[in-house]
Every structure is written in C-alpha cells, then in structure tokens.
Amino acid sequence: LSDTIFFEEPGVGGTAEMLTFGGDLLKALVGRGSVGLTSVRAAIVTCILLTENESAKARVTKVSVPARFGVGESDLLACIARLLADSKNENSQTSALTQLAMVRLLVALMTDNPSAAQLFLASPSYVPLAVDLVGSKNRHVAGMASVLLGLCVLSSGKVDSTVAFNQRSIIDVLSKHVGLHKFFCAWDDMMTSPEFQMGLKSSHKKLEVITKECLGADQSLSTDAAYLALIYDYLFAGHVKDLQPSVRQSIVSSYSGSLGDGESKGTPASPGNGNDR
C-alpha cells in the first residue's frame, strides 16, 4: 500500500484522478477540502503505514504536494505544518485532535529517518511551531510536541550543517521559551495519562476486527478515547517511553560539552531542576 502514496497527474480537463489508495489518503490528509476529523483519520492511517517501514518513510518524505492542494507546490512537511498553524487559531476539541494527529505523524515520519529530520530542521519555522505546542492546555498535544522536539534533539546530529536548528539551538529555544522542566513535565504528563498507559498494555490484548458496519455511523471513532487508542498504539507508546531517557542524556551531554568548552556563562540550568524557566 505504501507504494501507492503519491499524487497523480491531473486527468482530462485538468481534474485530478485519485485512483490509488495512497493518493486518496494524501488527499484526505492535506487536500484543500480536508478538515477536522477527515485529516485526523488520514494521519492515523498514515502513521500505521509508516510504523517500522523505512521504504514508506522515504517515499512519504519525498512526496511533492501539487499547488492545487495547498499554497503553491510544496513537500508534505510544509502542508502538515500549515495544518498545525491553522489549527492553532481554532479553539475546539477537533482542533486539538488535529494538532495531536499531525504531530504524531511528524514523529512517525522522523523516527529513524534523517531525510525527514533534515527537512524539518532546515525550516526556520517548524521548531518554533512545535515549541509553541508544548504550551498547549491539552496534555496530549503538549506531550506529543515534546516528543517531537526530543526527536529533533536526537536527530540533529544526523543532519548537515545547513539546517536552521542544530542540537544546541533547539535546546536554547526550548530553555528560553518553555523551560526544560516544563518540557519534560509535559512529556511525563502525557505518559501518565490513562490513554497512554492503556497503549503500553495493549500488546497483551487480542486485536478486534473493525467491520464496515462498525464504521458506518462512525460509532467506533466517535469519541476522543477511541482516537487516542489509535494514536497511542503499543509500539509507539513503548518507543516514546524508551526515548525520553536518551533525550535527557543528550541534553545533559550538550550542556556538559558547552561547560567544557568554556561556555559556562549564561548556560541554563540542567534539565529537570525547574530553574530554567
């Protein structure tokens, strides 16, 4: 299925013929008329396709979104960032779900994918956008944004020097605008949520078949809890839990290196002590 993830050329008369599963999925994700729960569902399905699938990540990273689906021709990351920015201007539960699903998709795409990390860190606006989301009142959005930024910290050593944000500048922005204590607290708060904990335990449960009848009236996907159960699948929940210690150690090592280089003046406090806000 991942091999079908591309936008087809316009058909006769200039109309787009979406003849593949992947094409329809992309249209639902970032199409001009795609809003609310439609894009949320598309993001979740895309995350499933990307899980432990390196070739799918490479394909999605290279997807070019035609101008007819966005503001000028752009890559998929730019369209996701636009959806995130637009949803910030809304104040509804659906907008929070949109933010959560889109950040979750970015995490899935950037995990073990230096090419996607390169694109994300090369933009001067993506990291600040994620930093803003750490301050969300929604614990899941704030926590997922922290995971994304933690992934950026770890991935920054695998990209070239042309990026707008390297490891130290990411940490500096976090420390200045959020505070490392709040950053890790947001991550912890998400992981202690019942929904996340359920994801950690779900590997022991028998997977249920979702029938067409179940989806007919959207009854199986009509509550926030149902969406969160799909977002926090057991592979992802386990990965997020294991990722945090590595991020902490990377930040500590960054500060230790700076101190060793004689940059002790003005260096923020070590992560987790609450004095960096």
Side-chain angles (χ1 to χ4, degrees):
L1 291 178
S2 62
D3 289 339
T4 69
I5 299 179
F6 59 88
F7 281 102
E8 294 196 15
E9 294 298 322
V12 178
T15 58
E17 296 281 348
M18 291 297 177
L19 302 178
T20 66
F21 168 82
D24 284 332
L25 183 62
L26 289 173
K27 183 180 179 181
L29 181 65
V30 299
R32 192 178 295 276
S34 180
V35 293
L37 297 181
T38 298
S39 59
V40 170
R41 293 164 185 160
I44 291 173
V45 172
T46 306
C47 286
I48 294 172
L49 288 177
L50 295 179
T51 300
E52 298 185 338
N53 190 334
E54 305 309 315
S55 63
K57 292 177 186 178
R59 175 178 287 277
V60 172
T61 301
K62 297 176 182 178
V63 165
S64 178
V65 182
R68 64 182 183 275
F69 292 107
V71 183
E73 185 169 344
S74 60
D75 56 62
L76 192 60
L77 277 180
C79 290
I80 294 173
R82 174 176 56 81
L83 288 172
L84 277 173
D86 291 345
S87 65
K88 282 179 58 183
N89 298 324
E90 303 175 7
N91 185 21
S92 67
Q93 194 61 28
T94 300
S95 66
L97 271 174
T98 299
Q99 292 169 8
L100 178 60
M102 293 303 159
V103 178
R104 167 72 170 85
L105 177 55
L106 288 174
V107 172
L109 184 59
M110 289 176 57
T111 298
D112 298 323
N113 186 3
S115 297
Q118 176 78 31
L119 285 174
F120 191 88
L121 296 176
S123 170
S125 60
Y126 296 167
V127 168
L129 177 60
V131 170
D132 286 345
L133 291 174
V134 176
S136 171
K137 295 180 180 179
N138 184 293
R139 71 192 298 187
H140 301 287
V141 173
M144 193 69 73
S146 295
V147 174
L148 175 60
L149 288 165
L151 195 59
C152 288
V153 170
L154 296 179
S155 301
S156 57
K158 303 175 184 179
V159 299
D160 62 42
S161 59
T162 63
V163 294
F165 287 92
N166 57 27
Q167 184 181 81
R168 188 53 199 259
S169 60
I170 296 169
I171 297 172
D172 285 345
V173 170
L174 270 173
S175 182
K176 180 179 179 180
H177 294 283
V178 175
L180 294 175
H181 177 70
K182 183 176 180 180
F183 165 72
F184 282 112
C185 280
W187 195 323
D188 289 335
D189 190 38
M190 180 192 69
M191 291 198 298
T192 57
S193 68
E195 297 85 359
F196 187 92
Q197 289 297 313
M198 187 64 69
L200 286 176
K201 301 173 184 177
S202 63
S203 61
H204 303 296
K205 292 185 176 182
K206 181 179 179 181
L207 295 178
E208 297 181 0
V209 176
I210 300 177
T211 65
K212 184 177 181 180
E213 288 73 19
C214 291
L215 294 174
D218 283 336
Q219 292 178 350
S220 63
L221 295 178
S222 60
T223 65
D224 291 349
Y227 282 105
L228 291 172
L230 294 172
I231 288 173
Y232 295 133
D233 64 85
Y234 77 94
L235 286 176
F236 177 74
H239 171 66
V240 167
K241 182 181 178 182
D242 294 340
L243 189 67
Q244 195 195 63
S246 298
V247 174
R248 286 185 182 273
Q249 183 57 50
S250 184
I251 292 176
V252 169
S253 297
S254 177
Y255 282 137
S256 298
S258 296
L259 288 171
D261 292 337
E263 298 180 5
S264 58
K265 290 186 179 181
T267 301
S270 297
N273 64 8
N275 295 324
D276 56 339
R277 290 176 284 179

